[in-house]
Amino acid sequence: MSPVYRKPRVGGCLSAQVERRSDGTIVLRSTEPLGEYPRQLGERLEHWARVAPERTLIARRDPSVPGGGDWIRLSFAQVLQRARAIGQALVDRGLSAERPVAILSDNDLEHFSLAMGAMWAGVPFVPVSPAYSLVSQDYGKLRHILGVTTPGLVFASSVAYAKAIEAVVPKETHVVLTEGSIPGRTVTPFAELLATSPGAGIDAAHASVGPDTIVKFLFTSGSTKDPKGVINTQRMLCSNMQMAAQSKAFLADTPPVLVDWLPWNHTFGGNQNIGVCLYNGGTLYIDEGKPTPKGIATTLRNLREIAPTIYYNVPKGFEELSLAMEQDDVLRETLFSRVQAFMFAGAGLSQAVWDRLDRLAERTVGERIPVITGLGMTETAPSCLFAVGEGVRSGHIGLPCPGVEVKLVPVDDKTEVRFRGPNVMPGYWRAPQQTAEAFDEEGFYQTGDAVKWIDENDPQRGLAFDGRIAEDFKLSTGTFVSVGPLRAKVIAAGDPLIVDAVVAGLNRDDLGLLIFPRIDDVRARFGFDAAVPAAEVLAAPPVRAFFQSVLDKLWAAGTGSANRPARAMLLADPPQIDRHEITDKGSINQRAV
């Protein structure tokens, strides 16, 4: 019997025109044209503030209550009022693209309000990963980002950021804190920005905001080199929201409700998820949890209370959530009650997790929830491809969004995917050489991602992800190793006890694995107390026997030296951000590890 799926309305990327060129290049375009979109996102904020002024746009639990209290809400009308007041304060300080706003702290109402005020005034902002201030010990990436952007105002939520500010931010730069002060430095309370009376200055500034106005500088993760500042314009964000609205047409059927932790310094959370709510009149509940064994508790509490209409997460988040739902009836019933689709990004979702989600949904509501996948990146605002049909499986990335041209180019024994469209960046900020190197002779952005057809005889079934070209390497035999697909198989084979894995073996005869275990789950599975050191746990014979069985399974499933790992090492220490081994969003730098 075929599975039964919930059927949200979709479109936009269900079919593609295929142009085959004599040099082997293929160009794909959606058969559905891109509809009209606004000149700037402020038009959508203004629209919903007029049409549904009291509807909640953004909410956060009261941080003054231990563990988080009731939800503090800001309506569309309140956010518009805040945007105009803060925008006036930024105009008064003479801020601009040359002297933008830098935001150092995590997702909260003040961060959101400041971003909306900057956008309304046409002043770019720079959301910076909090890890660069709070986790990093040398502030190397923070120093680089502020050096490239030269902000005229730096904002943080609290004095927890004082040490980083003292180390990196020049004395003459305006500093704004939600609360607290920094000895020896003039600090403006955030409340002072809010108290500004909007006038002719902000009206004139807002009137000049158009499609080419820079909204923000979003920095790439910098897993292999210093982060690059991606210029995000109004045209990029508005066109991409229209692409998403056509592809995920159900977003227009009822105002979307999101429960979301994804950081706003990344394109998924900061562009895609905020944009979905702004564009479609939705509500975003800030989830202060994280997809970790400890941080997931906050997420679970929120999802027991708030039923999202679409749920976005990274694969690790879906893994933690699916494991929790096995034993939590209230969580399952609330989450599945009205969610129209799941969507992940950032990495591949293992088929084991995908199957668990299907099984739990069928058990709870008698039907599966569609999982939407795709491919996008910081340089494309982010979405370029979506896979939205019922036949979607792990690794699928679909067909082009309306308005995006997709170019498939043979590179060695792989096929690189490249993008051109109104959602693609004009370049990297203050980096002309890197900008020139990013585009090919036809103006397509060169992603470095490899793809392949799901079915070469039927292009309309779409594309599958085939790893990062830069990660792949050759064995001593000259055989290419496709790292991405093999890494996904390793994680799936060890589910749920493997967090991540690095594939090694450059110029060797065979492959090795460096495995990062999910150490808390390993302790629980094999009966170790939380105080037992990780190295001691991983040295225990039963634990080693389990991971040996995983390696044996991978060896037996392999078809040759390029996909058959011969050895593995269990790593007791997590990857380090200051060593460039991992990005703040959890992406592993294979080469550095």
Side-chain angles (χ1 to χ4, degrees):
M1 182 182 296
S2 298
V4 177
Y5 284 87
R6 193 162 285 181
K7 296 185 183 299
R9 197 163 59 90
V10 296
C13 50
L14 296 173
S15 60
Q17 300 169 345
V18 181
E19 174 194 340
R20 298 182 183 272
R21 298 178 177 176
S22 59
D23 63 356
T25 298
I26 299 173
V27 177
L28 305 177
R29 302 175 182 89
S30 173
T31 55
E32 182 177 317
L34 179 63
E36 292 186 7
Y37 52 89
R39 285 169 46 84
Q40 48 131 317
L41 271 178
E43 293 181 20
R44 300 304 291 166
L45 175 58
E46 197 168 26
H47 167 80
W48 291 110
R50 182 176 65 254
V51 172
E54 301 306 314
R55 183 183 299 162
T56 299
L57 168 55
I58 190 88
R60 180 198 183 189
R61 288 195 186 276
D62 187 346
S64 68
V65 178
D70 292 336
W71 294 98
I72 301 173
R73 300 167 181 268
L74 293 178
S75 68
F76 276 91
Q78 288 173 314
V79 170
L80 178 56
Q81 186 277 326
R82 283 183 166 217
R84 295 189 70 244
I86 293 171
Q88 181 68 62
L90 302 183
V91 170
D92 291 345
R93 286 163 173 77
L95 302 179
S96 65
E98 303 300 321
R99 299 178 65 247
V101 173
I103 302 176
L104 305 190
S105 49
D106 216 334
N107 303 1
D108 62 23
L109 299 182
E110 292 76 22
H111 179 151
F112 184 82
S113 300
L114 182 55
M116 292 299 101
M119 184 177 74
W120 192 264
V123 174
F125 61 99
V126 190
V128 181
S129 169
Y132 297 164
S133 297
L134 302 180
V135 177
S136 174
Q137 299 301 304
D138 61 9
Y139 306 120
K141 290 188 176 180
L142 177 63
R143 184 174 286 105
H144 168 75
I145 290 171
L146 298 191
V148 169
T149 56
T150 59
L153 183 149
V154 173
F155 167 79
S157 59
S158 72
V159 294
Y161 293 83
K163 187 177 178 182
I165 290 171
E166 285 292 275
V168 175
V169 178
K171 289 288 185 183
E172 64 272 16
T173 303
H174 293 288
V175 172
V176 175
L177 296 180
T178 302
E179 57 185 19
S181 59
I182 302 175
R185 187 184 285 262
T186 301
V187 171
T188 300
F190 179 79
E192 187 175 310
L193 303 187
L194 276 182
T196 307
S197 296
I202 184 57
D203 292 340
H206 181 68
S208 69
V209 175
D212 294 317
T213 301
I214 299 171
V215 179
K216 63 177 83 170
F217 303 115
L218 273 184
F219 277 77
T220 60
S221 297
S223 58
T224 56
K225 298 178 181 178
D226 282 331
K228 299 187 289 287
V230 177
I231 300 169
N232 280 235
T233 66
Q234 289 282 358
R235 178 184 287 104
M236 290 170 64
L237 301 189
C238 292
S239 66
N240 205 233
M241 283 299 99
Q242 180 60 29
M243 293 171 189
Q246 290 180 230
S247 302
K248 296 178 284 187
F250 63 91
L251 293 172
D253 295 338
T254 186
V257 174
L258 277 63
V259 179
D260 188 44
W261 71 273
L262 289 156
W264 296 339
N265 57 285
H266 289 302
T267 189
F268 190 6
N271 284 357
Q272 153 79 29
N273 296 357
I274 287 178
V276 159
C277 293
L278 272 177
Y279 206 79
N280 300 283
T283 300
L284 190 152
Y285 290 90
I286 298 174
D287 173 18
E288 293 177 287
K290 291 289 186 290
T292 63
K294 292 181 180 178
I296 196 69
T298 299
T299 296
L300 301 183
R301 176 195 176 188
N302 293 333
L303 288 174
R304 290 187 197 102
E305 182 178 331
I306 307 294
T309 61
I310 183 169
Y311 188 66
Y312 298 101
N313 213 324
V314 295
K316 188 177 178 183
F318 278 110
E319 180 174 358
E320 297 288 351
L321 179 60
S322 66
L323 291 171
M325 283 195 293
E326 293 274 22
Q327 308 298 327
D328 194 324
D329 294 344
V330 174
L331 174 64
R332 276 200 321 276
E333 289 164 5
T334 304
L335 178 61
F336 290 127
S337 64
R338 63 173 180 174
V339 69
Q340 295 298 297
F342 295 133
M343 183 175 171
F344 67 89
L349 182 69
S350 78
Q351 194 62 50
V353 174
W354 198 310
D355 293 343
R356 191 182 301 131
L357 289 170
D358 285 342
R359 176 171 50 78
L360 290 166
E362 288 174 329
R363 171 176 151 195
T364 307
V365 292
E367 58 186 358
R368 297 180 178 184
I369 306 303
V371 179
I372 295 172
T373 72
L375 185 65
M377 50 210 58
T378 309
E379 288 85 351
T380 60
S383 302
C384 291
L385 297 160
F386 278 129
V388 296
E390 291 182 4
V392 176
R393 291 292 178 267
S394 182
H396 291 192
I397 54 175
L399 290 169
C401 298
V404 175
E405 294 179 279
V406 175
K407 184 177 178 182
L408 308 180
V409 181
V411 177
D412 295 322
D413 65 343
K414 292 271 191 174
T415 298
E416 183 187 16
V417 62
R418 301 177 182 178
F419 299 125
R420 186 170 67 182
N423 61 319
V424 177
M425 68 168 185
Y428 298 111
W429 185 243
R430 293 173 172 168
Q433 183 63 37
Q434 290 176 314
T435 297
E437 293 169 354
F439 295 92
D440 70 12
E441 68 284 353
E442 292 185 292
F444 282 85
Y445 172 67
Q446 302 175 106
T447 68
D449 285 336
V451 298
K452 59 185 178 182
W453 294 111
I454 294 170
D455 182 348
E456 290 188 6
N457 298 315
D458 185 5
Q460 301 308 319
R461 290 194 62 192
L463 297 166
F465 188 67
D466 197 28
R468 288 283 298 167
I469 292 173
E471 288 182 344
D472 294 347
F473 60 86
K474 287 183 179 181
L475 296 171
S476 61
T477 57
T479 305
F480 261 107
V481 177
S482 187
V483 169
L486 178 57
R487 173 181 161 274
K489 289 179 182 177
V490 173
I491 294 171
D495 179 67
L497 300 189
I498 294 180
V499 176
D500 217 324
V502 169
V503 181
L506 174 66
N507 295 327
R508 301 284 189 95
D509 294 339
D510 48 28
L511 293 177
L513 301 174
L514 297 165
I515 294 175
F516 291 102
R518 189 183 300 276
I519 193 65
D520 288 339
D521 285 357
V522 173
R523 286 191 179 100
R525 169 79 70 90
F526 294 98
F528 288 94
D529 186 86
V532 178
E536 186 175 332
V537 171
L538 297 178
V543 175
R544 295 183 66 82
F546 169 81
F547 286 102
Q548 181 65 56
S549 71
V550 171
L551 190 60
D552 292 343
K553 187 190 307 182
L554 293 165
W555 177 270
T559 57
S561 59
N563 60 19
R564 179 182 284 162
R567 58 193 180 277
M569 178 179 289
L570 305 179
L571 303 179
D573 296 325
Q576 301 297 310
I577 194 168
D578 281 343
R579 296 177 183 170
H580 304 288
E581 294 173 337
I582 191 170
T583 69
D584 61 302
K585 66 180 180 181
S587 300
I588 290 288
N589 177 357
Q590 295 270 330
R591 300 255 169 127
V593 174

